[in-house]
Amino acid sequence: AQSVTQLGSHVSVSEGALVLLRCNYSSSVPPYLFWYVQYPNQGLQLLLKYTSAATLVKGINGFEAEFKKSETSFHLTKPSAHMSDAAEYFCAGRRGNEKLTFGTGTRLTIIP
Amino acid sequence: NAGVTQTPKFRVLKTGQSMTLLCAQDMNHEYMYWYRQDPGMGLRLIHYSVGEGTTAKGEVPDGYNVSRLKKQNFLLGLESAAPSQTSVYFCASSWTGETQYFGPGTRLLVL
């Protein structure tokens, strides 16, 4: 089954600094990959998804992620962090008709 | 268009009590899912449905039952609640099984 690993359960960045949240997947077959964001006391919202059409995927709120098969990675980035980006971020993946598998999440804190 | 809604938002149960969580979606999605979210463990799939009248077990189905009598509703039941079922429960729906849309969650505390 597809699995995803998020490196770092907590990440802190200064406002205006680069945001980098790491996700690696385990599969020899490129999967569908997703990044979701969860704001406090809310459900998950889709940020972006990779479905093999393009390796650089742009999402909402200025986020993007790059699929790198050689590194089995799908890291999430944003050039300049805003206070409103403080949330928990989940990487998820599925392969074929398998069910979606979530990483354990990364809580992003923005330092003023 | 309300998307995915969940009822109730918060509930406290005593050990051994039963309850039903309701999920409703107005997007005509075929697929519906129930997850639980626990600190440090991400989301784990409890049960899912690929269409009206169908249900299937996910990763952590023990202690839960589900029903999908109507396409727009997916019910999650706890017959005899246990403290280990204290969690935040999320419902999601999807048209193709690819992108999932989540409800706001139900916080359940079992004493």
Side-chain angles (χ1 to χ4, degrees), chain B residues 19 29 37-38 60 64 87 89 91 93 99 108:
Chain B
M19 78 164 294
H29 285 168
Q37 183 181 30
D38 302 292
V60 288
Y64 305 95
S87 187
Y89 292 86
C91 176
S93 71
T99 303
L108 176 64

PDB file of all heavy atoms in Angstrom, chain B residues 19 29 37-38 60 64 87 89 91 93 99 108:
ATOM      1  N   MET B  19     -24.157   6.070  20.021  1.00  0.00           N
ATOM      2  CA  MET B  19     -24.528   7.288  19.322  1.00  0.00           C
ATOM      3  C   MET B  19     -24.306   7.113  17.830  1.00  0.00           C
ATOM      4  O   MET B  19     -23.597   6.183  17.400  1.00  0.00           O
ATOM      5  CB  MET B  19     -23.737   8.492  19.821  1.00  0.00           C
ATOM      6  CG  MET B  19     -22.321   8.610  19.317  1.00  0.00           C
ATOM      7  SD  MET B  19     -21.637  10.267  19.579  1.00  0.00           S
ATOM      8  CE  MET B  19     -22.664  11.252  18.491  1.00  0.00           C
ATOM      9  N   HIS B  29     -22.008  13.317  -4.688  1.00  0.00           N
ATOM     10  CA  HIS B  29     -20.824  12.475  -4.760  1.00  0.00           C
ATOM     11  C   HIS B  29     -21.168  11.014  -4.517  1.00  0.00           C
ATOM     12  O   HIS B  29     -22.026  10.701  -3.686  1.00  0.00           O
ATOM     13  CB  HIS B  29     -19.790  12.925  -3.729  1.00  0.00           C
ATOM     14  CG  HIS B  29     -19.079  14.182  -4.127  1.00  0.00           C
ATOM     15  ND1 HIS B  29     -18.287  14.889  -3.238  1.00  0.00           N
ATOM     16  CD2 HIS B  29     -19.031  14.859  -5.298  1.00  0.00           C
ATOM     17  CE1 HIS B  29     -17.773  15.939  -3.859  1.00  0.00           C
ATOM     18  NE2 HIS B  29     -18.228  15.942  -5.107  1.00  0.00           N
ATOM     19  N   GLN B  37      -9.249  11.357  13.568  1.00  0.00           N
ATOM     20  CA  GLN B  37      -7.981  12.075  13.663  1.00  0.00           C
ATOM     21  C   GLN B  37      -7.522  12.095  15.108  1.00  0.00           C
ATOM     22  O   GLN B  37      -8.236  12.589  15.988  1.00  0.00           O
ATOM     23  CB  GLN B  37      -8.117  13.511  13.147  1.00  0.00           C
ATOM     24  CG  GLN B  37      -6.797  14.273  13.159  1.00  0.00           C
ATOM     25  CD  GLN B  37      -6.938  15.703  12.667  1.00  0.00           C
ATOM     26  OE1 GLN B  37      -7.984  16.328  12.823  1.00  0.00           O
ATOM     27  NE2 GLN B  37      -5.887  16.228  12.063  1.00  0.00           N
ATOM     28  N   ASP B  38      -6.354  11.566  15.338  1.00  0.00           N
ATOM     29  CA  ASP B  38      -5.765  11.543  16.669  1.00  0.00           C
ATOM     30  C   ASP B  38      -4.393  12.194  16.611  1.00  0.00           C
ATOM     31  O   ASP B  38      -3.694  12.093  15.605  1.00  0.00           O
ATOM     32  CB  ASP B  38      -5.651  10.102  17.168  1.00  0.00           C
ATOM     33  CG  ASP B  38      -6.996   9.398  17.197  1.00  0.00           C
ATOM     34  OD1 ASP B  38      -7.834   9.811  18.031  1.00  0.00           O
ATOM     35  OD2 ASP B  38      -7.237   8.482  16.393  1.00  0.00           O
ATOM     36  N   VAL B  60      -9.281   1.144  10.384  1.00  0.00           N
ATOM     37  CA  VAL B  60      -9.591   0.968  11.812  1.00  0.00           C
ATOM     38  C   VAL B  60     -11.090   0.834  12.022  1.00  0.00           C
ATOM     39  O   VAL B  60     -11.731   1.665  12.665  1.00  0.00           O
ATOM     40  CB  VAL B  60      -9.013   2.138  12.654  1.00  0.00           C
ATOM     41  CG1 VAL B  60      -7.516   2.045  12.757  1.00  0.00           C
ATOM     42  CG2 VAL B  60      -9.452   3.484  12.079  1.00  0.00           C
ATOM     43  N   TYR B  64     -17.074   0.267  15.229  1.00  0.00           N
ATOM     44  CA  TYR B  64     -17.898   1.204  14.457  1.00  0.00           C
ATOM     45  C   TYR B  64     -18.746   0.442  13.435  1.00  0.00           C
ATOM     46  O   TYR B  64     -18.332  -0.588  12.918  1.00  0.00           O
ATOM     47  CB  TYR B  64     -17.027   2.207  13.698  1.00  0.00           C
ATOM     48  CG  TYR B  64     -16.050   2.978  14.533  1.00  0.00           C
ATOM     49  CD1 TYR B  64     -14.737   2.550  14.674  1.00  0.00           C
ATOM     50  CD2 TYR B  64     -16.430   4.165  15.158  1.00  0.00           C
ATOM     51  CE1 TYR B  64     -13.823   3.254  15.435  1.00  0.00           C
ATOM     52  CE2 TYR B  64     -15.521   4.888  15.914  1.00  0.00           C
ATOM     53  CZ  TYR B  64     -14.221   4.430  16.050  1.00  0.00           C
ATOM     54  OH  TYR B  64     -13.320   5.139  16.800  1.00  0.00           O
ATOM     55  N   SER B  87     -11.955  11.085  20.024  1.00  0.00           N
ATOM     56  CA  SER B  87     -11.235  11.492  18.821  1.00  0.00           C
ATOM     57  C   SER B  87     -12.014  12.616  18.135  1.00  0.00           C
ATOM     58  O   SER B  87     -13.073  13.031  18.591  1.00  0.00           O
ATOM     59  CB  SER B  87     -11.100  10.296  17.866  1.00  0.00           C
ATOM     60  OG  SER B  87     -10.268  10.608  16.762  1.00  0.00           O
ATOM     61  N   TYR B  89     -13.767  13.179  14.532  1.00  0.00           N
ATOM     62  CA  TYR B  89     -14.215  12.373  13.393  1.00  0.00           C
ATOM     63  C   TYR B  89     -14.523  13.286  12.216  1.00  0.00           C
ATOM     64  O   TYR B  89     -15.234  14.288  12.347  1.00  0.00           O
ATOM     65  CB  TYR B  89     -15.455  11.573  13.783  1.00  0.00           C
ATOM     66  CG  TYR B  89     -15.146  10.500  14.795  1.00  0.00           C
ATOM     67  CD1 TYR B  89     -15.139  10.785  16.159  1.00  0.00           C
ATOM     68  CD2 TYR B  89     -14.817   9.215  14.391  1.00  0.00           C
ATOM     69  CE1 TYR B  89     -14.808   9.818  17.088  1.00  0.00           C
ATOM     70  CE2 TYR B  89     -14.500   8.222  15.311  1.00  0.00           C
ATOM     71  CZ  TYR B  89     -14.489   8.542  16.663  1.00  0.00           C
ATOM     72  OH  TYR B  89     -14.159   7.575  17.576  1.00  0.00           O
ATOM     73  N   CYS B  91     -15.836  13.406   8.160  1.00  0.00           N
ATOM     74  CA  CYS B  91     -16.471  12.803   7.016  1.00  0.00           C
ATOM     75  C   CYS B  91     -15.934  13.483   5.761  1.00  0.00           C
ATOM     76  O   CYS B  91     -15.602  14.674   5.780  1.00  0.00           O
ATOM     77  CB  CYS B  91     -17.978  12.974   7.102  1.00  0.00           C
ATOM     78  SG  CYS B  91     -18.889  12.356   5.682  1.00  0.00           S
ATOM     79  N   SER B  93     -16.310  13.385   1.186  1.00  0.00           N
ATOM     80  CA  SER B  93     -16.979  12.818   0.020  1.00  0.00           C
ATOM     81  C   SER B  93     -16.167  13.129  -1.221  1.00  0.00           C
ATOM     82  O   SER B  93     -15.325  14.032  -1.237  1.00  0.00           O
ATOM     83  CB  SER B  93     -18.407  13.359  -0.112  1.00  0.00           C
ATOM     84  OG  SER B  93     -18.395  14.724  -0.495  1.00  0.00           O
ATOM     85  N   THR B  99     -10.133  13.433  -5.489  1.00  0.00           N
ATOM     86  CA  THR B  99     -10.148  14.560  -4.558  1.00  0.00           C
ATOM     87  C   THR B  99     -11.286  14.415  -3.569  1.00  0.00           C
ATOM     88  O   THR B  99     -12.441  14.250  -3.968  1.00  0.00           O
ATOM     89  CB  THR B  99     -10.295  15.883  -5.320  1.00  0.00           C
ATOM     90  OG1 THR B  99      -9.228  15.992  -6.252  1.00  0.00           O
ATOM     91  CG2 THR B  99     -10.269  17.053  -4.353  1.00  0.00           C
ATOM     92  N   LEU B 108     -15.569  14.056  19.727  1.00  0.00           N
ATOM     93  CA  LEU B 108     -16.232  13.107  20.614  1.00  0.00           C
ATOM     94  C   LEU B 108     -15.324  12.816  21.802  1.00  0.00           C
ATOM     95  O   LEU B 108     -14.158  12.480  21.648  1.00  0.00           O
ATOM     96  CB  LEU B 108     -16.534  11.801  19.878  1.00  0.00           C
ATOM     97  CG  LEU B 108     -17.142  10.686  20.717  1.00  0.00           C
ATOM     98  CD1 LEU B 108     -18.519  11.105  21.231  1.00  0.00           C
ATOM     99  CD2 LEU B 108     -17.249   9.394  19.916  1.00  0.00           C
TER     100      LEU B 108
END
